[in-house]
Amino acid sequence: MTTMTSAIDEIEYEGMLFGRHLAALPAGRTRRKGGLLDQSAYTLLSLLDAGGPASLAELAAATGLDVSTLNRQTAALRRSGLAERFDDPDGGQARKLRLSAEGARLLGEERAASRVLLAELLHDWSEADRARFGELLGRYNRVIEDRSKRHWPRP
């Protein structure tokens, strides 16, 4: 049995568990039981919500996904009426993607359900502990973004 001897050991192990627990929550990666958004849709809609309209190249730069993958994912969002394409006023023939009214509504509904679940999980944490956890998680994410050169917009 491996013994954790440093903070890095603990962070590595707990990070693995964090990812596993998120995937195993009753709502799974769809954010809530019966939710209509899978993880990729939730992520892309959240990105568009926080950062505004974006081209496939801009989405690729933020997510690290290739354009062909994003093309499939955004086509599914458009078919579902959750996002819409429009001509980029600054880009000639370039096109951008933005949330539709339905996409914004459904994202808000899914986000609210996710926040309810988080509040239930952290019900016995003090507000100071919740704030500190959010601060540290944000700091950790920004370090990863700096290293990967893929910065995510924040609301």
Side-chain angles (χ1 to χ4, degrees):
M1 183 166 141
T2 303
T3 307
M4 288 188 254
T5 58
S6 74
I8 294 297
D9 292 341
E10 185 173 2
I11 291 166
E12 185 280 329
Y13 192 80
E14 294 299 333
M16 177 274 302
L17 285 176
F18 184 70
R20 177 68 190 116
H21 291 320
L22 283 179
L25 285 172
R29 299 299 281 214
T30 63
R31 292 297 193 237
R32 65 187 177 101
K33 191 169 187 75
L36 300 176
L37 297 177
D38 64 20
Q39 186 62 32
S40 65
Y42 187 86
T43 300
L44 287 174
L45 293 176
S46 292
L47 183 58
L48 292 171
D49 184 50
S55 66
L56 287 180
E58 291 166 333
L59 292 173
T63 63
L65 298 172
D66 62 74
V67 172
S68 64
T69 299
L70 284 165
N71 194 39
R72 284 190 304 276
Q73 291 177 350
T74 59
L77 292 176
R78 290 191 331 271
R79 279 192 307 274
S80 300
L82 303 177
E84 52 197 22
R85 242 184 356 194
F86 65 98
D87 292 333
D88 182 353
D90 301 322
Q93 292 185 340
R95 314 266 293 177
K96 286 199 170 193
L97 193 72
R98 66 179 161 221
L99 281 175
S100 67
E102 178 63 9
R105 184 196 68 73
L106 190 55
L107 177 62
E109 185 179 311
E110 293 290 297
R111 186 170 282 145
S114 182
R115 288 175 177 159
V116 166
L117 177 59
L118 284 171
E120 289 172 6
L121 291 170
L122 303 176
H123 76 276
D124 61 348
W125 288 31
S126 71
E127 189 57 33
D129 283 348
R130 291 179 188 189
R132 184 73 177 138
F133 182 60
E135 176 188 330
L136 290 172
L137 196 54
R139 184 175 168 194
Y140 180 73
N141 282 330
R142 284 187 290 279
V143 166
I144 292 170
E145 292 167 19
D146 287 345
R147 173 167 273 200
S148 69
K149 309 262 188 285
R150 289 192 308 267
H151 295 275
W152 285 72
R154 294 206 164 47

